[in-house]
Amino acid sequence: MNLNKYLAVSPEVQAALDAGKPVVALESTIISHGMPYPKNVETALTVEKIIRENGAVPATIAIIKGKLTVGCTPEQIEYLGKRGLDVPKASRRDLPVLLAKGEDGATTVTTTMIAAAMAGVKVFATGGIGGVHRGAETTMDISADLEELAMTPVMVICAGAKSILDLGLTLEYLETKGVPVIGYRTKELPAFYTAHSGFSVDYRLDTPEEIADAFKVKLDCGLQGGMLVTNPIPDEYSMDADYINENIDAAIRECEEKGIHGKATTPFLLDKIQKLTAGKSLEANIQLVYNNVRLGAEVAKAMCR
Ligand code: PSU
Ligand code: MN
């Protein structure tokens, strides 16, 4: 195996890893496909700043010219944000061709986990993950993120799953695959834009140290796969549940009417919801990401203690 041929770790991230210092991985699909320019770039750079202020090193991950790049430069982040949807959304199945052709790619939760694991980064923070889509019993649309959580040893910190997904089926799938689902200071699965979904997580843990300890046990025992940590959006940024759910339903109806499917579904829904809510959902999305990366830095530090 010659991984290094396809992996480019920045000097800063490599130095931190070599010194046993905390590193937090970040994805790039949220930049190119999840938010409009220039808010996406502003958010990505602020996220890095927050991680530094909290004593860890950020590692934004993307495919740049055929290399899994761990620790993008601000210029690369600007490039990924400006090119937006023209950067291919890269999941596990896209890696062989994109890397072979020397192309760029925006890494999803799946490919960010793959690159983080190759580089030796254990903690990854983002906004939301993919899951089992509503209607998956006929479309079979289940995100590769769930399979990756089942096999790759990286902890993913998110704000729960949004109700563009079938949250109950997503939890069932994670249970089948043996992925621990942790609620940070909550027993209820957060629903991204709101703190409440009505579904329970497996375990409530109340400190970054407890989260780090649980994940260390998983690694020590060689139990394959990652761990999902769900962190509720702070109250002051939480959206009204009825309001956001009506807009999510409207976005899903339009998605079905237009026959949008496959990898285009999630970016279409995110964009539509942002437009329908006149940017209010975007603001909530940005704030919950900030909240998640703050926790990410704390957990990464706890992993290094
Ligand atoms: N959910 C969000 N924002 C995102 C995504 C999901 O709230 O940006 C992105 C992530 O990169 C995730 C991907 O890994 O969408 C899932 O895509 P799909 O549903 O096609 O697997
Ligand atoms: Mn899908």
Side-chain angles (χ1 to χ4, degrees):
M1 216 172 17
N2 191 354
L3 292 180
N4 287 342
K5 207 170 151 191
Y6 306 108
L7 186 67
V9 182
S10 76
E12 186 196 12
V13 170
Q14 192 59 57
L17 290 169
D18 290 343
K21 291 196 177 140
V23 177
V24 179
L26 302 158
E27 61 154 307
S28 46
T29 290
I30 190 173
I31 303 174
S32 297
H33 295 253
M35 293 181 187
Y37 181 80
K39 278 263 176 186
N40 53 1
V41 174
E42 262 171 57
T43 303
L45 295 174
T46 305
V47 155
E48 293 210 336
K49 186 163 160 266
I50 292 172
I51 290 173
R52 288 182 199 286
E53 284 167 0
N54 285 277
V57 172
T60 298
I61 294 178
I63 303 168
I64 307 282
K65 292 192 170 57
K67 288 215 176 213
L68 281 164
T69 304
V70 179
C72 289
T73 63
E75 293 72 28
Q76 287 168 334
I77 289 173
E78 167 72 24
Y79 168 78
L80 292 162
K82 204 165 193 174
R83 268 193 77 203
L85 300 181
D86 290 338
V87 183
K89 178 177 159 187
S91 192
R92 175 176 270 270
R93 58 103 184 256
D94 304 293
L95 286 183
V97 174
L98 290 178
L99 297 189
K101 284 183 170 285
E103 290 188 9
D104 300 324
T107 53
T108 62
V109 167
T110 294
T111 37
T112 303
M113 289 177 75
I114 293 171
M118 281 180 176
V121 181
K122 302 265 177 284
V123 178
F124 162 26
T126 188
I129 60 158
V132 180
H133 278 263
R134 294 198 209 165
E137 59 275 22
T138 48
T139 63
M140 291 184 75
D141 189 350
I142 298 172
S143 176
D145 292 352
L146 301 184
E147 291 292 327
E148 208 61 47
L149 280 162
M151 65 180 139
T152 300
V154 173
M155 182 197 310
V156 179
I157 300 174
C158 70
K162 58 169 75 65
S163 47
I164 62 173
L165 302 171
D166 186 318
L167 301 185
L169 292 187
T170 300
L171 288 173
E172 291 293 348
Y173 201 94
L174 289 167
E175 184 203 349
T176 301
K177 293 288 176 173
V179 179
V181 179
I182 308 299
Y184 181 57
R185 298 186 177 163
T186 181
K187 188 74 184 76
E188 186 177 0
L189 176 75
F192 199 83
Y193 299 118
T194 69
H196 305 291
S197 67
F199 291 95
S200 291
V201 295
D202 304 330
Y203 294 96
R204 169 183 171 149
L205 296 178
D206 290 336
T207 64
E209 289 74 22
E210 284 178 282
I211 294 172
D213 288 347
F215 194 53
K216 276 190 194 167
V217 170
K218 194 159 200 269
L219 298 176
D220 285 347
C221 295
L223 293 170
Q224 99 179 337
M227 186 165 101
L228 188 65
V229 176
T230 64
N231 186 27
I233 184 171
D235 271 346
E236 60 267 44
Y237 302 113
S238 176
M239 298 185 76
D240 179 74
D242 291 336
Y243 172 73
I244 191 65
N245 285 327
E246 278 163 26
N247 283 295
I248 288 173
D249 290 343
I252 290 177
R253 275 196 303 276
E254 184 166 337
C255 189
E256 283 166 0
E257 280 159 22
K258 291 198 158 140
I260 289 162
H261 62 274
K263 71 196 281 188
T265 301
T266 298
F268 175 86
L269 291 173
L270 293 177
D271 179 59
K272 196 75 223 171
I273 294 162
Q274 280 164 20
K275 285 182 178 136
L276 288 172
T277 62
K280 271 181 269 176
S281 68
L282 178 59
E283 193 47 37
N285 194 346
I286 291 170
Q287 293 300 334
L288 64 83
V289 172
Y290 293 164
N291 189 49
N292 293 344
V293 302
R294 240 174 263 126
L295 178 59
E298 295 306 323
V299 174
K301 283 191 283 185
M303 289 288 292
C304 292
R305 81 197 191 284

